[in-house]
CSV table of all heavy atoms in Angstrom, one decimal:
chain,number,residue,atom,x,y,z
D,1,ARG,N,-46.9,-31.1,-131.4
D,1,ARG,CA,-48.1,-31.9,-131.2
D,1,ARG,C,-49.3,-31.2,-131.8
D,1,ARG,O,-50.2,-31.8,-132.4
D,1,ARG,CB,-48.2,-32.2,-129.8
D,1,ARG,CG,-47.3,-33.3,-129.3
D,1,ARG,CD,-47.4,-33.6,-127.7
D,1,ARG,NE,-46.6,-34.5,-127.3
D,1,ARG,CZ,-46.9,-35.9,-127.2
D,1,ARG,NH1,-48.1,-36.2,-127.5
D,1,ARG,NH2,-46.0,-36.7,-126.8
D,2,ARG,N,-49.4,-29.8,-131.5
D,2,ARG,CA,-50.6,-29.2,-132.0
D,2,ARG,C,-50.6,-29.1,-133.6
D,2,ARG,O,-51.6,-29.3,-134.2
D,2,ARG,CB,-50.5,-27.7,-131.5
D,2,ARG,CG,-51.8,-26.9,-131.8
D,2,ARG,CD,-51.7,-25.5,-131.5
D,2,ARG,NE,-50.6,-24.8,-132.5
D,2,ARG,CZ,-50.8,-24.7,-133.8
D,2,ARG,NH1,-51.9,-25.0,-134.3
D,2,ARG,NH2,-49.9,-24.1,-134.6
D,3,ILE,N,-49.3,-29.0,-134.1
D,3,ILE,CA,-49.3,-29.0,-135.5
D,3,ILE,C,-49.7,-30.3,-136.1
D,3,ILE,O,-50.3,-30.4,-137.1
D,3,ILE,CB,-47.8,-28.6,-136.0
D,3,ILE,CG1,-47.5,-27.1,-135.7
D,3,ILE,CG2,-47.6,-28.9,-137.5
D,3,ILE,CD1,-46.1,-26.8,-135.8
D,4,LEU,N,-49.3,-31.5,-135.5
D,4,LEU,CA,-49.6,-32.7,-135.9
D,4,LEU,C,-51.1,-33.0,-135.9
D,4,LEU,O,-51.7,-33.5,-136.7
D,4,LEU,CB,-48.7,-33.8,-135.2
D,4,LEU,CG,-48.9,-35.2,-135.6
D,4,LEU,CD1,-48.5,-35.4,-137.1
D,4,LEU,CD2,-48.1,-36.1,-134.7
D,5,ALA,N,-51.7,-32.6,-134.9
D,5,ALA,CA,-53.1,-32.7,-134.7
D,5,ALA,C,-53.9,-31.9,-135.8
D,5,ALA,O,-54.8,-32.4,-136.3
D,5,ALA,CB,-53.6,-32.2,-133.3
D,6,ASN,N,-53.3,-30.6,-136.1
D,6,ASN,CA,-53.9,-29.9,-137.1
D,6,ASN,C,-53.9,-30.6,-138.5
D,6,ASN,O,-54.7,-30.6,-139.2
D,6,ASN,CB,-53.2,-28.5,-137.2
D,6,ASN,CG,-54.0,-27.5,-138.2
D,6,ASN,OD1,-55.2,-27.6,-138.2
D,6,ASN,ND2,-53.2,-26.7,-138.9
D,7,LEU,N,-52.6,-31.2,-138.7
D,7,LEU,CA,-52.5,-32.0,-140.1
D,7,LEU,C,-53.5,-33.1,-140.0
D,7,LEU,O,-54.1,-33.4,-141.1
D,7,LEU,CB,-51.0,-32.5,-140.1
D,7,LEU,CG,-49.9,-31.6,-140.4
D,7,LEU,CD1,-48.7,-32.4,-140.2
D,7,LEU,CD2,-50.1,-31.1,-141.8
D,8,ALA,N,-53.7,-33.8,-139.0
D,8,ALA,CA,-54.6,-34.9,-138.9
D,8,ALA,C,-56.0,-34.4,-139.1
D,8,ALA,O,-56.9,-35.3,-139.6
D,8,ALA,CB,-54.5,-35.6,-137.5
D,9,SER,N,-56.3,-33.3,-138.7
D,9,SER,CA,-57.8,-32.7,-138.9
D,9,SER,C,-58.2,-32.6,-140.3
D,9,SER,O,-59.2,-32.5,-140.8
D,9,SER,CB,-58.0,-31.4,-138.1
D,9,SER,OG,-57.3,-30.4,-138.8
D,10,ASP,N,-57.1,-32.5,-141.1
D,10,ASP,CA,-57.3,-32.4,-142.6
D,10,ASP,C,-57.5,-33.8,-143.2
D,10,ASP,O,-57.8,-33.8,-144.4
D,10,ASP,CB,-56.1,-31.8,-143.3
D,10,ASP,CG,-56.1,-30.3,-142.9
D,10,ASP,OD1,-57.0,-29.7,-142.6
D,10,ASP,OD2,-54.9,-29.7,-143.0
D,11,GLY,N,-57.4,-34.8,-142.4
D,11,GLY,CA,-57.6,-36.2,-143.0
D,11,GLY,C,-56.4,-37.1,-142.6
D,11,GLY,O,-55.3,-36.7,-142.3
D,12,LEU,N,-56.8,-38.4,-142.5
D,12,LEU,CA,-55.8,-39.4,-142.1
D,12,LEU,C,-54.7,-39.6,-143.1
D,12,LEU,O,-55.0,-39.3,-144.3
D,12,LEU,CB,-56.5,-40.7,-141.8
D,12,LEU,CG,-57.4,-40.8,-140.6
D,12,LEU,CD1,-58.2,-42.0,-140.5
D,12,LEU,CD2,-56.6,-40.5,-139.3
D,13,PRO,N,-53.6,-40.2,-142.7
D,13,PRO,CA,-52.6,-40.4,-143.6
D,13,PRO,C,-53.0,-41.4,-144.7
D,13,PRO,O,-53.8,-42.2,-144.5
D,13,PRO,CB,-51.4,-41.1,-142.8
D,13,PRO,CG,-51.7,-40.8,-141.4
D,13,PRO,CD,-53.2,-40.6,-141.4
D,14,ARG,N,-52.4,-41.2,-145.9
D,14,ARG,CA,-52.8,-42.0,-147.1
D,14,ARG,C,-51.6,-42.7,-147.6
D,14,ARG,O,-50.4,-42.3,-147.3
D,14,ARG,CB,-53.4,-41.2,-148.2
D,14,ARG,CG,-54.7,-40.5,-147.7
D,14,ARG,CD,-55.3,-39.7,-148.9
D,14,ARG,NE,-54.7,-38.6,-149.4
D,14,ARG,CZ,-54.8,-37.3,-148.8
D,14,ARG,NH1,-55.7,-37.2,-147.8
D,14,ARG,NH2,-54.2,-36.3,-149.3
D,15,GLU,N,-51.8,-43.7,-148.4
D,15,GLU,CA,-50.7,-44.4,-149.1
D,15,GLU,C,-50.0,-43.5,-150.1
D,15,GLU,O,-50.6,-42.6,-150.6
D,15,GLU,CB,-51.3,-45.7,-149.8
D,15,GLU,CG,-51.8,-46.7,-149.0
D,15,GLU,CD,-52.3,-47.9,-149.8
D,15,GLU,OE1,-52.4,-47.8,-151.0
D,15,GLU,OE2,-52.7,-49.0,-149.1
D,16,PRO,N,-48.7,-43.7,-150.3
D,16,PRO,CA,-48.0,-44.9,-149.9
D,16,PRO,C,-47.2,-44.6,-148.6
D,16,PRO,O,-46.7,-45.6,-148.0
D,16,PRO,CB,-46.9,-44.9,-151.1
D,16,PRO,CG,-46.8,-43.4,-151.4
D,16,PRO,CD,-48.1,-42.8,-151.3
D,17,LEU,N,-47.2,-43.4,-148.1
D,17,LEU,CA,-46.6,-43.2,-146.8
D,17,LEU,C,-47.4,-43.7,-145.5
D,17,LEU,O,-46.7,-44.2,-144.6
D,17,LEU,CB,-46.4,-41.6,-146.5
D,17,LEU,CG,-45.5,-40.9,-147.5
D,17,LEU,CD1,-45.4,-39.4,-147.2
D,17,LEU,CD2,-44.1,-41.5,-147.5
D,18,ASP,N,-48.7,-43.6,-145.6
D,18,ASP,CA,-49.5,-44.0,-144.4
D,18,ASP,C,-49.0,-43.3,-143.1
D,18,ASP,O,-49.1,-44.1,-142.0
D,18,ASP,CB,-49.6,-45.5,-144.3
D,18,ASP,CG,-50.5,-46.2,-145.3
D,18,ASP,OD1,-51.3,-45.5,-145.8
D,18,ASP,OD2,-50.2,-47.3,-145.7
D,19,MET,N,-48.5,-42.3,-143.2
D,19,MET,CA,-48.0,-41.5,-141.9
D,19,MET,C,-47.8,-40.0,-142.2
D,19,MET,O,-47.9,-39.7,-143.3
D,19,MET,CB,-46.7,-42.1,-141.4
D,19,MET,CG,-45.5,-41.7,-142.2
D,19,MET,SD,-44.6,-40.2,-141.5
D,19,MET,CE,-43.3,-40.0,-142.5
D,20,MET,N,-47.9,-39.3,-141.1
D,20,MET,CA,-47.7,-37.8,-141.1
D,20,MET,C,-46.7,-37.5,-140.0
D,20,MET,O,-46.7,-38.3,-139.0
D,20,MET,CB,-48.9,-37.0,-141.2
D,20,MET,CG,-49.8,-37.3,-140.0
D,20,MET,SD,-51.4,-36.4,-140.1
D,20,MET,CE,-52.0,-36.9,-141.6
D,21,SER,N,-46.0,-36.4,-140.1
D,21,SER,CA,-44.9,-36.2,-139.0
D,21,SER,C,-44.7,-34.8,-138.9
D,21,SER,O,-44.8,-34.0,-139.9
D,21,SER,CB,-43.6,-37.1,-139.2
D,21,SER,OG,-43.0,-36.6,-140.4
D,22,VAL,N,-44.1,-34.5,-137.8
D,22,VAL,CA,-43.5,-33.1,-137.6
D,22,VAL,C,-42.1,-33.3,-136.9
D,22,VAL,O,-41.9,-34.1,-136.0
D,22,VAL,CB,-44.3,-32.3,-136.6
D,22,VAL,CG1,-43.8,-30.9,-136.2
D,22,VAL,CG2,-45.8,-32.1,-137.0
D,23,GLU,N,-41.1,-32.8,-137.6
D,23,GLU,CA,-39.7,-32.8,-137.0
D,23,GLU,C,-39.5,-31.4,-136.4
D,23,GLU,O,-39.7,-30.4,-137.1
D,23,GLU,CB,-38.8,-33.3,-138.2
D,23,GLU,CG,-39.0,-34.6,-138.7
D,23,GLU,CD,-38.0,-34.9,-139.8
D,23,GLU,OE1,-36.9,-35.1,-139.4
D,23,GLU,OE2,-38.4,-35.0,-140.9
D,24,ILE,N,-38.8,-31.5,-135.3
D,24,ILE,CA,-38.5,-30.3,-134.7
D,24,ILE,C,-36.9,-30.2,-134.6
D,24,ILE,O,-36.2,-31.1,-134.1
D,24,ILE,CB,-39.0,-30.3,-133.2
D,24,ILE,CG1,-40.5,-30.4,-133.3
D,24,ILE,CG2,-38.7,-28.9,-132.5
D,24,ILE,CD1,-41.3,-30.8,-132.1
D,25,TYR,N,-36.3,-29.0,-134.9
D,25,TYR,CA,-34.9,-28.8,-135.0
D,25,TYR,C,-34.6,-27.6,-134.1
D,25,TYR,O,-35.4,-26.7,-133.9
D,25,TYR,CB,-34.4,-28.5,-136.4
D,25,TYR,CG,-34.8,-29.5,-137.4
D,25,TYR,CD1,-36.0,-29.6,-138.0
D,25,TYR,CD2,-33.7,-30.4,-137.8
D,25,TYR,CE1,-36.3,-30.6,-139.0
D,25,TYR,CE2,-34.2,-31.4,-138.7
D,25,TYR,CZ,-35.3,-31.4,-139.3
D,25,TYR,OH,-35.6,-32.5,-140.2
D,26,ASP,N,-33.3,-27.5,-133.5
D,26,ASP,CA,-33.0,-26.4,-132.7
D,26,ASP,C,-32.5,-25.3,-133.7
D,26,ASP,O,-32.6,-25.4,-134.9
D,26,ASP,CB,-31.9,-26.8,-131.7
D,26,ASP,CG,-30.5,-27.2,-132.3
D,26,ASP,OD1,-30.4,-27.0,-133.5
D,26,ASP,OD2,-29.7,-27.8,-131.5
D,27,ALA,N,-31.9,-24.3,-133.1
D,27,ALA,CA,-31.4,-23.1,-133.9
D,27,ALA,C,-30.3,-23.4,-134.9
D,27,ALA,O,-30.2,-22.8,-135.9
D,27,ALA,CB,-30.9,-22.0,-132.9
D,28,ASP,N,-29.5,-24.5,-134.6
D,28,ASP,CA,-28.5,-24.9,-135.5
D,28,ASP,C,-29.0,-25.8,-136.5
D,28,ASP,O,-28.2,-26.5,-137.2
D,28,ASP,CB,-27.3,-25.5,-134.8
D,28,ASP,CG,-26.7,-24.4,-133.8
D,28,ASP,OD1,-26.6,-23.3,-134.2
D,28,ASP,OD2,-26.3,-24.8,-132.6
D,29,ARG,N,-30.4,-26.1,-136.4
D,29,ARG,CA,-31.0,-27.1,-137.4
D,29,ARG,C,-30.6,-28.5,-137.0
D,29,ARG,O,-30.6,-29.4,-137.9
D,29,ARG,CB,-30.8,-26.7,-138.8
D,29,ARG,CG,-31.6,-25.4,-139.1
D,29,ARG,CD,-31.4,-25.1,-140.6
D,29,ARG,NE,-32.3,-24.0,-140.9
D,29,ARG,CZ,-32.1,-22.7,-140.8
D,29,ARG,NH1,-31.0,-22.4,-140.1
D,29,ARG,NH2,-33.1,-21.7,-141.2
D,30,LYS,N,-30.2,-28.8,-135.8
D,30,LYS,CA,-30.0,-30.1,-135.3
D,30,LYS,C,-31.4,-30.7,-134.9
D,30,LYS,O,-32.1,-30.1,-134.2
D,30,LYS,CB,-29.0,-30.0,-134.1
D,30,LYS,CG,-28.7,-31.3,-133.5
D,30,LYS,CD,-27.9,-31.3,-132.2
D,30,LYS,CE,-27.9,-32.6,-131.5
D,30,LYS,NZ,-28.1,-32.2,-130.1
D,31,PRO,N,-31.6,-32.0,-135.4
D,31,PRO,CA,-32.9,-32.5,-135.0
D,31,PRO,C,-32.9,-32.8,-133.6
D,31,PRO,O,-32.0,-33.4,-133.0
D,31,PRO,CB,-33.0,-33.9,-135.9
D,31,PRO,CG,-31.5,-34.1,-136.4
D,31,PRO,CD,-30.7,-32.7,-136.2
D,32,LEU,N,-34.1,-32.5,-133.0
D,32,LEU,CA,-34.4,-32.7,-131.6
D,32,LEU,C,-35.4,-33.9,-131.4
D,32,LEU,O,-35.3,-34.8,-130.6
D,32,LEU,CB,-34.9,-31.5,-130.9
D,32,LEU,CG,-34.0,-30.4,-130.9
D,32,LEU,CD1,-34.7,-29.1,-130.3
D,32,LEU,CD2,-32.8,-30.7,-130.1
D,33,PHE,N,-36.6,-33.8,-132.1
D,33,PHE,CA,-37.7,-34.7,-132.0
D,33,PHE,C,-38.3,-34.9,-133.3
D,33,PHE,O,-38.3,-34.1,-134.2
D,33,PHE,CB,-38.8,-34.1,-131.1
D,33,PHE,CG,-38.4,-33.6,-129.7
D,33,PHE,CD1,-38.2,-32.2,-129.6
D,33,PHE,CD2,-38.1,-34.4,-128.7
D,33,PHE,CE1,-37.9,-31.8,-128.3
D,33,PHE,CE2,-37.7,-33.8,-127.5
D,33,PHE,CZ,-37.5,-32.5,-127.3
D,34,GLU,N,-39.0,-36.1,-133.4
D,34,GLU,CA,-40.0,-36.4,-134.6
D,34,GLU,C,-41.1,-36.9,-134.0
D,34,GLU,O,-41.1,-37.8,-133.2
D,34,GLU,CB,-39.3,-37.3,-135.6
D,34,GLU,CG,-40.3,-37.6,-136.7
D,34,GLU,CD,-39.8,-38.5,-137.8
D,34,GLU,OE1,-38.7,-39.0,-137.6
D,34,GLU,OE2,-40.6,-38.8,-138.8
D,35,LEU,N,-42.3,-36.2,-134.3
D,35,LEU,CA,-43.6,-36.7,-133.8
D,35,LEU,C,-44.3,-37.2,-135.0
D,35,LEU,O,-44.3,-36.7,-136.0
D,35,LEU,CB,-44.4,-35.6,-133.2
D,35,LEU,CG,-43.7,-34.7,-132.1
D,35,LEU,CD1,-44.5,-33.4,-131.8
D,35,LEU,CD2,-43.6,-35.5,-130.9
D,36,ARG,N,-44.8,-38.5,-134.9
D,36,ARG,CA,-45.3,-39.2,-136.0
D,36,ARG,C,-46.7,-39.8,-135.8
D,36,ARG,O,-46.9,-40.4,-134.7
D,36,ARG,CB,-44.3,-40.3,-136.5
D,36,ARG,CG,-44.7,-40.9,-137.7
D,36,ARG,CD,-43.6,-42.0,-138.0
D,36,ARG,NE,-42.4,-41.3,-138.6
D,36,ARG,CZ,-41.4,-42.1,-139.1
D,36,ARG,NH1,-41.4,-43.3,-139.1
D,36,ARG,NH2,-40.4,-41.3,-139.5
D,37,LEU,N,-47.5,-39.8,-136.7
D,37,LEU,CA,-48.9,-40.4,-136.6
D,37,LEU,C,-48.9,-41.3,-137.8
D,37,LEU,O,-48.8,-40.9,-139.0
D,37,LEU,CB,-50.0,-39.4,-136.8
D,37,LEU,CG,-51.4,-40.0,-136.8
D,37,LEU,CD1,-51.7,-40.6,-135.5
D,37,LEU,CD2,-52.5,-38.8,-137.0
D,38,ALA,N,-49.1,-42.6,-137.6
D,38,ALA,CA,-49.0,-43.7,-138.6
D,38,ALA,C,-50.4,-44.4,-138.6
D,38,ALA,O,-51.0,-44.6,-137.5
D,38,ALA,CB,-47.9,-44.6,-138.3
D,39,LEU,N,-50.8,-44.7,-139.8
D,39,LEU,CA,-52.0,-45.5,-140.0
D,39,LEU,C,-51.6,-46.9,-140.5
D,39,LEU,O,-50.9,-47.2,-141.5
D,39,LEU,CB,-52.9,-44.8,-141.1
D,39,LEU,CG,-54.1,-45.5,-141.4
D,39,LEU,CD1,-55.1,-45.4,-140.2
D,39,LEU,CD2,-54.8,-44.9,-142.6
D,40,GLN,N,-52.0,-47.9,-139.6
D,40,GLN,CA,-51.7,-49.3,-140.0
D,40,GLN,C,-52.9,-50.0,-140.3
D,40,GLN,O,-53.9,-50.0,-139.6
D,40,GLN,CB,-51.1,-49.9,-138.7
D,40,GLN,CG,-49.8,-50.3,-138.8
D,40,GLN,CD,-49.3,-51.0,-137.6
D,40,GLN,OE1,-49.7,-50.7,-136.4
D,40,GLN,NE2,-48.3,-51.8,-137.6
D,41,GLU,N,-52.9,-50.8,-141.4
D,41,GLU,CA,-54.0,-51.6,-141.8
D,41,GLU,C,-53.6,-53.0,-141.5
D,41,GLU,O,-52.5,-53.6,-141.8
D,41,GLU,CB,-54.3,-51.6,-143.3
D,41,GLU,CG,-55.5,-52.3,-143.7
D,41,GLU,CD,-55.7,-52.2,-145.2
D,41,GLU,OE1,-55.8,-50.9,-145.7
D,41,GLU,OE2,-55.7,-53.1,-146.0
D,42,ILE,N,-54.5,-53.8,-140.7
D,42,ILE,CA,-54.2,-55.1,-140.2
D,42,ILE,C,-55.3,-56.0,-140.8
D,42,ILE,O,-56.5,-55.8,-140.5
D,42,ILE,CB,-54.2,-55.2,-138.7
D,42,ILE,CG1,-53.1,-54.3,-138.2
D,42,ILE,CG2,-53.9,-56.6,-138.2
D,42,ILE,CD1,-53.2,-54.1,-136.7
D,43,VAL,N,-54.8,-56.9,-141.7
D,43,VAL,CA,-55.8,-57.8,-142.3
D,43,VAL,C,-56.0,-59.1,-141.3
D,43,VAL,O,-55.1,-59.5,-140.7
D,43,VAL,CB,-55.1,-58.4,-143.6
D,43,VAL,CG1,-56.1,-59.4,-144.2
D,43,VAL,CG2,-54.8,-57.2,-144.6
């Protein structure tokens, strides 16, 4: 979460992804969590 906040402090997500994320893996590199910040534009 701290890493994701630090990424966001550099600026909001841009197209084409419109998101930023941090994936966390265990020692065997098995995925445990994905934390994602997405920017949605609603017309």
Side-chain angles (χ1 to χ4, degrees):
R1 289 175 174 267
R2 189 195 66 72
I3 292 169
L4 187 58
N6 190 41
L7 287 173
S9 73
D10 291 337
L12 291 174
R14 296 187 290 274
E15 292 181 350
L17 295 178
D18 285 332
M19 72 94 180
M20 53 185 57
S21 68
V22 176
E23 293 180 75
I24 303 166
Y25 301 84
D26 67 11
D28 297 321
R29 291 180 170 81
K30 177 184 165 220
L32 299 174
F33 309 103
E34 180 178 1
L35 307 170
R36 186 179 287 185
L37 177 64
L39 181 65
Q40 245 182 333
E41 181 178 310
I42 302 169
V43 179

